[in-house]
Amino acid sequence: MRVIARSAIREFLDRNSSYADSKEALEAWYQHTVKADWATPAELKRQFKNASVLQDGRAVFNISGNKYRLVVWINYAYRVVYIRFIGTHAQYDKVDVQTI
């Protein structure tokens, strides 16, 4: 898969030093994702059992033992993953994942 906006990960980590504990998990997610070849949401779920598959190609990943949330939009036909949001659970609760 091609991940668009890896810079979003760097920006998230730079935003607050307390987010540093997510660096390793976000990097692991990124490395796993760029090696993946998901053609369907079912293929994504086989590799990330704890991911939540939402409508319209959206998916939510739990990062660092559920401390953070990563929301992406996936274009399965073109094998592209767009990072839409990274944040804490409290921040996640304040956004509409279908519109970000």
Side-chain angles (χ1 to χ4, degrees), residues 6 9-10 12-13 19-34 48 61-70 83 86-87:
R6 183 178 188 181
I9 295 172
R10 283 190 295 268
F12 172 73
L13 294 170
Y19 300 159
D21 61 339
S22 68
K23 183 177 182 177
E24 207 172 292
L26 286 167
E27 184 61 27
W29 173 87
Y30 177 84
Q31 292 302 322
H32 187 88
T33 301
V34 296
F48 285 98
F61 297 89
N62 295 315
I63 303 294
S64 293
N66 279 343
K67 188 172 181 183
Y68 303 97
R69 293 283 178 104
L70 169 67
I83 296 174
I86 308 170

Side-chain angles (χ1 to χ4, degrees), residues 31-47:
Q31 292 302 322
H32 187 88
T33 301
V34 296
K35 293 175 185 170
D37 185 27
W38 306 319
T40 66
E43 290 178 6
L44 163 69
K45 284 292 283 183
R46 275 195 289 275
Q47 291 185 351

